[in-house]
Amino acid sequence: MVAFNSLSESEQDLIPTSPMDSVVEEINVTEENKKYLFDDYDRDKVYSVTFNHTDSDKNADLTVFVDLDKETVVGKGFK
């Protein structure tokens, strides 16, 4: 719910069902996903929370990145 609560109202409106309809993974921070993280995030791993069915013609699925403390949002983007 930390990831969902960090979204703006318009981003929340993109989620057609439940915020629980998401995929959570612990991933390594790479050059590819680092562009979605806040500049001051310096850890090697992060949780990636991808909300299903949020893709559109303009964007891919909405993903929120959460620190391993499971409380701090450290980035987000469409990927």
Side-chain angles (χ1 to χ4, degrees), residues 39-74:
D39 290 336
D40 60 347
Y41 191 71
D42 63 353
R43 297 180 111 182
D44 294 336
K45 293 191 181 267
V46 67
Y47 287 111
S48 167
V49 182
T50 303
F51 293 98
N52 296 319
H53 314 294
T54 56
D55 59 337
S56 68
D57 292 339
K58 297 179 185 176
N59 299 313
D61 282 325
L62 179 58
T63 301
V64 176
F65 297 94
V66 179
D67 185 74
L68 298 181
D69 68 6
K70 300 180 184 175
E71 296 180 12
T72 308
V73 173
V74 295

Side-chain angles (χ1 to χ4, degrees), residues 21 25 27 29 49 70 77:
D21 185 19
E25 305 175 88
I27 62 170
V29 173
V49 182
K70 300 180 184 175

Side-chain angles (χ1 to χ4, degrees), residues 20-38:
M20 300 303 284
D21 185 19
S22 59
V23 176
V24 179
E25 305 175 88
E26 183 179 319
I27 62 170
N28 292 319
V29 173
T30 64
E31 288 302 315
E32 182 180 328
N33 59 32
K34 194 171 190 166
K35 63 185 173 188
Y36 300 105
L37 302 178
F38 300 148

